[in-house]
Amino acid sequence: MFDLYWTTARTAVMVQLQYRMANYFYMIGMIAEPIIYLVVWSTIAAAQGGEVGGYTPGAFAAYYIVWTLVRNMNIVFTPYGWEWRIKHGELSAALLRPVHPLHFDIAYFAGWKFVVILLWLPLAGLLALLFPPTLHPTWLEVVVFCVAIWGAYLIRTMFLWLLGMVTFWTTRVSALYELYFACELLLSGRLVPMALLPAWARELAWFLPFQWTFGFPIEALVGQLTPHELLLGLAMQLLWILVGLGLVQLVWRAGVRRYGAVGG
Amino acid sequence: MSVLRLAYHYLRIGALNELQYRINFWLQLMQSAVALTVGLVGLSLVFYHTTDVAGWSRAELLAVMGVHILMGGLIGALIQPNMLRLMEDVKQGTLDFVLIKPVDAQALISVREIRLWRLVDVLVGMVVLGVALVQLGETLQLLALFAFGLALACGAVMIYSFWLILTSVAFWVIRVDDMINLFEGIYAAGRWPVGIYPAWLQGLLTFVVPVAFAVTVPAEALTARLDSSTLALACVLALLLFLLARLVWRTGLRRYGGASA
């Protein structure tokens, strides 16, 4: 199993290193979004006498620069790809292999992430020059962050797999996806740090996996979380990975049975 | 044959084609509704913490959002699909079929495609704009309305010219699909008045990607912030950018090899 992961991840690294420019264009297109949020909230913080919801313009800069890395860690096999997978028989080939196709996705995208992190570093440097961040992480925070981005990656892999597998039953899925992504955008800490949401929305977010994939990893590095909160966050990530994994197994079994019925 | 009549017929056929797929209307409506909700929630979050952003009140920012959605609908329905098809044609060599026709090639490539259902966003944008204007409680003068229309038209011409220049780059580097992402990312910046951005970004949004003229200036016309010199500048720039786009297109066309070459 280790061999499978190692080889797939290495293949991904080599493939993606060939498409450096395409990868870069994609990343540059992506940074417009956090810059917009950053500018809007920095303007408001400045107008409110230096801070809003505990964030100074420098803290916002730190938040949204780290955001760009976490956003990249959140990119996994897209649910839109499932239709293609099923229609083009890709899945049939994957089913013939002796291991669960989930392993392949996890390994491939994990390998890709190493390329992404490498390409991200100069971009982060540039952003830090343009928007000076206030960032003084402790060693514990750095360690938790490095673990949490992979936790985020795994949670999102599970949940987008779940979403993608809806395609086993119907292909009219775009509306559902849009709705899911909208909820995710609002309740994950992607649009604004969780501290800026109204109390009821924060409470709602507690029962959902979203904030553990986005807000938590960022706050682990830039926020003022206590060691207790940091460990609690990691525990919540583990919990959601397990919940996601369980659901994936359940839906996958039902879905594959259905897939066989369609093809046979 | 007049170019306008040609455009009319192309758009009519394109629209008829799209009308076959009614379900896409509902999907688009759903998509627009989700996007609008996210936009409104974003706006309320901002005003949950403050009463104005860089001198713009809530209703005024709602008006900016309305223009942004409206213009986004126009771009998505009329400009972008044509440019994507042009990119594909240059890559495949099928632009030949356009060049052998006895009309101006630029006119032809600009009217071949329409995504009818994206026009839903034009309606949504108008509704949002209407609500914003009621909230502002200003009586609209005919002059302001005229200035708004003119600014909007200038903005559309600028975005069209910008897209044509971008697409013409395909004559040299073939692969420009990634630019769409880039454009959409930058266009999203127009959701807020460009005045709030740092100076270097304002320059970029005004003179490189003309988002400022496409969204902020028309919104200024409706919220009584526009002076006539800005409007005049918009007209001049729209004309210049259009001429530049034509020049780049023609230079690029000379490099085009064709399918059989």
Side-chain angles (χ1 to χ4, degrees), chain A residues 237-261:
Chain A
Q237 282 196 324
L238 187 64
L239 177 73
W240 279 109
I241 293 171
L242 293 177
V243 169
L245 193 60
L247 288 172
V248 163
Q249 283 297 350
L250 220 67
V251 177
W252 169 255
R253 275 199 209 123
V256 165
R257 215 170 295 136
R258 172 135 181 130
Y259 176 69

Side-chain angles (χ1 to χ4, degrees), chain B residues 239-257:
Chain B
L239 187 67
L240 283 179
L241 207 57
F242 183 77
L243 292 175
L244 179 68
R246 189 157 176 86
L247 186 73
V248 173
W249 154 258
R250 294 202 128 165
T251 318
L253 207 53
R254 242 176 270 141
R255 283 193 52 107
Y256 174 70

Side-chain angles (χ1 to χ4, degrees), chain B residues 17-83:
Chain B
N17 202 14
E18 282 267 285
L19 277 169
Q20 297 175 73
Y21 305 99
R22 300 280 160 96
I23 189 96
N24 287 351
F25 166 75
W26 297 104
L27 289 179
Q28 179 62 51
L29 198 65
M30 171 82 195
Q31 214 166 22
S32 301
V34 170
L36 179 65
T37 312
V38 169
L40 289 176
V41 170
L43 209 56
S44 350
L45 272 176
V46 164
F47 285 94
Y48 184 71
H49 294 282
T50 183
T51 48
D52 75 288
V53 179
W56 292 71
S57 71
R58 185 178 187 147
E60 286 170 332
L61 283 180
L62 193 64
V64 175
M65 197 171 116
V67 179
H68 186 257
I69 297 174
L70 195 164
M71 186 59 95
L74 283 179
I75 296 171
L78 298 169
I79 299 177
Q80 214 155 304
N82 278 301
M83 296 304 160

Side-chain angles (χ1 to χ4, degrees), chain A:
Chain A
M1 190 55 88
F2 177 76
D3 275 353
L4 172 92
Y5 269 82
W6 178 246
T7 312
T8 313
R10 259 190 42 200
T11 315
V13 170
M14 285 188 284
V15 169
Q16 294 305 327
L17 272 178
Q18 290 177 47
Y19 297 108
R20 284 181 303 268
M21 276 328 277
N23 267 314
Y24 242 121
F25 262 122
Y26 193 73
M27 280 174 105
I28 292 171
M30 195 184 282
I31 62 170
E33 187 188 338
I35 289 183
I36 297 167
Y37 303 151
L38 169 57
V39 168
V40 170
W41 287 104
S42 302
T43 311
I44 296 170
Q48 296 284 308
E51 68 158 46
V52 57
Y55 281 86
T56 59
F60 275 122
Y63 188 93
Y64 284 112
I65 291 173
V66 177
W67 185 106
T68 53
L69 180 64
V70 173
R71 170 82 183 98
N72 274 298
M73 292 304 288
N74 263 280
I75 293 176
V76 297
F77 186 77
T78 159
Y80 292 98
W82 274 87
E83 191 183 347
W84 178 82
R85 245 181 196 180
I86 290 176
K87 212 158 59 181
H88 291 262
E90 281 269 312
L91 198 61
S92 309
L95 283 173
L96 289 175
R97 294 187 185 162
V99 288
H100 200 297
L102 180 63
H103 291 301
F104 176 80
D105 273 8
I106 294 180
Y108 187 88
F109 281 85
W112 190 347
K113 294 298 169 233
F114 285 104
V115 180
V116 165
I117 293 173
L118 199 69
L119 293 175
W120 173 79
L121 289 171
L123 210 59
L126 183 69
L127 283 175
L129 280 180
L130 290 169
F131 304 97
T134 329
L135 191 60
H136 310 285
T138 62
W139 278 109
L140 179 67
E141 285 173 339
V142 173
V143 170
V144 171
F145 174 74
C146 290
V147 177
I149 53 175
W150 291 100
Y153 166 69
L154 285 176
I155 299 175
R156 199 141 193 280
T157 303
M158 301 303 162
F159 280 88
L160 290 205
W161 248 62
L162 276 176
L163 211 52
M165 281 192 291
V166 176
T167 317
F168 278 123
W169 286 271
T170 169
T171 50
R172 294 216 174 279
V173 281
S174 62
L176 177 72
Y177 293 173
E178 298 271 337
L179 215 57
Y180 179 89
F181 289 131
C183 293
E184 191 181 40
L185 175 68
L186 298 174
L187 292 171
S188 67
R190 174 172 166 180
L191 186 69
V192 293
M194 300 303 287
L196 295 180
L197 292 178
W200 63 266
R202 272 206 302 269
E203 259 160 49
L204 179 66
W206 243 100
F207 297 97
L208 296 166
F210 304 133
Q211 64 167 317
W212 307 109
T213 68
F214 222 108
F216 169 65
I218 304 178
E219 279 171 39
L221 196 64
V222 308
Q224 308 301 323
L225 301 184
T226 60
H228 172 247
E229 284 173 315
L230 287 172
L231 293 179
L232 177 73
L234 289 181
M236 285 303 281
Q237 282 196 324
L238 187 64
L239 177 73
W240 279 109
I241 293 171
L242 293 177
V243 169
L245 193 60
L247 288 172
V248 163
Q249 283 297 350
L250 220 67
V251 177
W252 169 255
R253 275 199 209 123
V256 165
R257 215 170 295 136
R258 172 135 181 130
Y259 176 69
V262 172

Side-chain angles (χ1 to χ4, degrees), chain B residues 162-218:
Chain B
F162 173 78
W163 256 109
L164 185 61
I165 293 171
L166 203 64
T167 314
S168 297
V169 173
F171 288 117
W172 285 275
V173 292
I174 309 294
R175 273 211 58 185
V176 284
D177 331 27
D178 294 313
M179 308 241 183
I180 304 156
N181 252 328
L182 206 57
F183 175 81
E184 281 180 351
I186 296 173
Y187 182 72
R191 168 66 47 91
W192 303 91
V194 292
I196 71 166
Y197 294 104
W200 60 273
L201 204 55
Q202 264 183 53
L204 189 80
L205 291 173
T206 310
F207 297 108
V208 183
V209 189
V211 172
F213 286 106
V215 182
T216 310
V217 171

